[in-house]
Amino acid sequence: MATDAPPPSKETHRLPTTEEFSEVQASAEFAELRRSYRSFAFPLTVAFIVWYLLYVLLSNYAGGFMGTKLVGNVNVAFVFGIAQFVTTFLIAWWYARHANAKLDPKAEAIKTRMEGGA
């Protein structure tokens, strides 16, 4: 059975020391990586939690509104519920694009330097 995964690397990498980890953690490069991650993940997490809680609160306290029929037997609650799934997948897709474009190159540069490749 063939896979698209490359074979495991035969290269050995040196293990960084505790001091090297501390230096990297204190570096501007690592701070930028952490800032880039947090500036994306935290606002989206808060926004999604607010969106989810809005759905739950409306379901509990605005039954008349949520029961409003839009098309046939499809009501507002059903549309909001489906939107929760769509939102989840869109955020995951958006994060993957963000990580590939912004986070992974920075993390790979740090990893390469730490393992002695640069």
Side-chain angles (χ1 to χ4, degrees), residues 3-100:
T3 64
D4 292 335
S9 176
K10 301 287 185 200
E11 297 177 34
T12 57
H13 300 283
R14 72 172 190 84
L15 295 175
T17 65
T18 304
E19 292 78 23
E20 289 172 318
F21 276 113
S22 295
E23 287 174 20
V24 167
Q25 186 178 9
S27 72
E29 185 180 23
F30 188 78
E32 174 59 25
L33 173 62
R34 189 171 43 224
R35 187 204 59 74
S36 184
Y37 168 75
R38 288 179 177 172
S39 68
F40 185 89
F42 289 1
L44 271 179
T45 300
V46 169
F48 185 78
I49 289 171
V50 168
W51 163 231
Y52 175 74
L53 290 175
L54 174 69
Y55 175 68
V56 170
L57 291 171
L58 286 173
S59 295
N60 282 321
Y61 300 109
F65 170 70
M66 294 296 271
T68 303
K69 297 212 185 276
L70 299 174
V71 178
N73 286 331
V74 176
N75 60 18
V76 173
F78 181 75
V79 171
F80 276 24
I82 295 299
Q84 291 286 315
F85 286 102
V86 171
T87 305
T88 301
F89 289 110
L90 284 174
I91 289 172
W93 169 78
W94 192 14
Y95 176 77
R97 287 191 58 210
H98 173 73
N100 286 336

